[in-house]
Amino acid sequence: VHGNIIENNRGYGGIAGGRPGSNLISENIIKNNGDVKVDEYGNVYDFRFGISVAGSSNIIVGSTITNHSKGIWMSFSDNIIYHNNFISNTNQVSIKEGETNTWDDGCPSGGNYWSDYTLRYPDAQELEIQAYGTHHTTLMHTIKTGILS
């Protein structure tokens, strides 16, 4: 999935990549997608996600994910996520506990931009090496993605 503007879709959110994985999701703008649904028993389900992947070996790069309850939702390990802008998502990332993924392209290339990073880490430097419960480089300014060039 490359070079799309995915905005204001209802239903189950922005981009969904299912099993077995090995999806390349790159240079997309993903904004304001999904719905909150209530079933006949009164159970509330929040489907406001930007990207949902349920497999391994996915690469998510160069996208801007804005204004969702979950910026990215993942349920498997071994995914690579870098050079993305995570802006104003209630939960920037939601990952099944115990899953490990790669969140950067190494120094000096860097990882991802997180709009709430300086709120969570007020003493952060220009290029920080820890955030969101894992070790990776964090970019302190938004990244210009290909679709915006």
Side-chain angles (χ1 to χ4, degrees), residues 109-136:
S109 178
N112 298 285
Y113 169 77
W114 312 89
S115 64
D116 62 347
Y117 188 74
T118 55
L119 295 173
R120 293 173 64 135
Y121 304 95
D123 296 325
Q125 301 299 313
E126 183 66 21
L127 191 63
E128 187 70 19
I129 306 216
Q130 68 175 42
Y132 295 92
T134 185
H135 293 286
H136 64 274

Side-chain angles (χ1 to χ4, degrees), residues 82-96:
Y82 67 96
H83 290 182
N84 300 288
N85 297 307
F86 292 91
I87 301 172
S88 299
N89 300 292
T90 305
N91 296 297
Q92 302 284 31
V93 175
S94 181
I95 304 171
K96 184 178 174 184

Side-chain angles (χ1 to χ4, degrees), residues 2-68:
H2 173 80
N4 297 286
I5 297 174
I6 302 164
E7 184 174 19
N8 298 321
N9 293 295
R10 296 295 147 233
Y12 294 98
I15 296 173
R19 290 183 187 170
S22 299
N23 298 292
L24 173 61
I25 300 171
S26 64
E27 297 185 11
N28 298 287
I29 296 173
I30 307 157
K31 183 176 178 182
N32 299 322
N33 295 291
D35 277 328
V36 175
K37 301 191 183 290
V38 180
D39 68 15
E40 65 271 17
Y41 305 106
N43 298 312
V44 178
Y45 300 94
D46 190 344
F47 295 107
R48 294 176 296 145
F49 62 81
I51 298 173
S52 172
V53 291
S56 297
S57 302
N58 296 290
I59 299 172
I60 301 170
V61 61
S63 294
T64 297
I65 302 117
T66 305
N67 201 26
H68 300 92

Side-chain angles (χ1 to χ4, degrees), residues 17-21 51-58 60 70 72-79 81 93-101 103:
R19 290 183 187 170
I51 298 173
S52 172
V53 291
S56 297
S57 302
N58 296 290
I60 301 170
K70 297 176 182 92
I72 291 182
W73 177 85
M74 289 186 284
S75 60
F76 286 82
S77 292
D78 301 320
N79 297 292
I81 306 97
V93 175
S94 181
I95 304 171
K96 184 178 174 184
E97 189 173 333
E99 303 297 341
T100 57
N101 295 285
W103 292 92

